[in-house]
Amino acid sequence: RTFLNNKFIPLLLEKKSLFENTKKEAMDKIETSIQKVRTETRDVLEQLEQLCLFYYEFQQAQDSIRPEILRRWNALAEIEELARKQQEKLNSLVKLEIEMRTEYHREKGGFLPAELCSCLSPSLVHFPTSFQYVVSNPEDAQGLHACISRMNETDQKDNKSDQKFNTTPTQGRSENIST
């Protein structure tokens, strides 16, 4: 019996040690796999959180489209109205200037030699320096007009006629404002 114990005990101890090493390696592999799954799960959850945030911001942006287009539309209408009024004032001033030049030329111009002052030349009586407001970025107004038209079409389909935008708040949209 002692012989068997002496012979098998080291063998059993060796097998036990081998089993414990194998068990430790297996546990290490399992722990490594668990850590990898945890890291991947954390990454996926982070990506999902970022995706949720993106779609939240996207929804906020979608909800802000109508008020922003309306704000821009009203700003454009206000700018056009101001430009139209200013152009009318400029046109009146130019007309008055032509009248005053014509009067000056009729009363005094015939007595002055043309070489004295070129700005008093009879050929310039009807052509004073004038200014004209023009649309400098018609694509913006045209794009805005297209957005408003699409929104009106969508609203008509959805029976939201109370929210219809006026597509022509002022005359001469995207054209020269001068008369």
Side-chain angles (χ1 to χ4, degrees), residues 113-135:
E115 301 83 30
L116 181 64
C117 188
S118 64
C119 70
L120 298 175
S121 169
S123 64
L124 296 177
V125 167
H126 296 290
F127 301 104
T129 301
S130 63
F131 299 89
Q132 188 174 29
Y133 287 94
V134 294
V135 175

Side-chain angles (χ1 to χ4, degrees), residues 10-75:
L11 186 60
L12 286 174
L13 288 174
E14 182 182 322
K15 293 292 180 182
K16 179 184 172 191
S17 175
L18 181 63
F19 173 75
E20 286 176 353
N21 286 342
T22 304
K23 178 182 165 187
K24 183 174 179 352
E25 288 174 10
M27 292 302 287
D28 288 346
K29 285 182 181 179
I30 290 171
E31 183 61 33
T32 300
S33 294
I34 290 172
Q35 288 300 329
K36 184 178 178 184
V37 167
R38 282 182 182 157
T39 300
E40 289 173 356
T41 303
R42 210 174 299 124
D43 290 347
V44 167
L45 288 174
E46 192 175 293
Q47 289 173 358
L48 283 173
E49 185 177 338
Q50 290 173 356
L51 188 61
C52 286
L53 181 60
F54 172 81
Y55 279 109
Y56 172 78
E57 293 296 334
F58 175 76
Q59 182 63 45
Q60 295 295 313
Q62 286 284 75
D63 292 344
S64 72
I65 288 173
R66 180 176 289 275
E68 177 62 11
I69 288 175
L70 180 58
R71 184 196 65 74
R72 290 181 186 195
W73 188 253
N74 290 333

Side-chain angles (χ1 to χ4, degrees), residues 59-136:
Q59 182 63 45
Q60 295 295 313
Q62 286 284 75
D63 292 344
S64 72
I65 288 173
R66 180 176 289 275
E68 177 62 11
I69 288 175
L70 180 58
R71 184 196 65 74
R72 290 181 186 195
W73 188 253
N74 290 333
L76 180 61
E78 191 175 331
I79 290 166
E80 283 183 346
E81 181 64 18
L82 178 63
R84 186 189 59 73
K85 286 179 180 178
Q86 293 303 318
Q87 188 64 56
E88 287 175 2
K89 287 180 182 179
L90 285 171
N91 291 346
S92 294
L93 288 172
V94 169
K95 183 179 177 186
L96 180 62
E97 177 62 14
I98 290 172
E99 289 170 4
M100 293 178 78
R101 285 183 179 199
T102 301
E103 179 69 25
Y104 179 84
H105 182 67
R106 188 174 37 243
E107 290 179 4
K108 313 271 191 226
F111 300 105
L112 298 172
E115 301 83 30
L116 181 64
C117 188
S118 64
C119 70
L120 298 175
S121 169
S123 64
L124 296 177
V125 167
H126 296 290
F127 301 104
T129 301
S130 63
F131 299 89
Q132 188 174 29
Y133 287 94
V134 294
V135 175
S136 62

Side-chain angles (χ1 to χ4, degrees), residues 76 80 84 135 141 168-178:
L76 180 61
E80 283 183 346
R84 186 189 59 73
V135 175
T168 54
T170 62
Q171 294 179 341
R173 177 167 299 291
S174 303
E175 298 171 5
N176 259 353
I177 297 182
S178 66

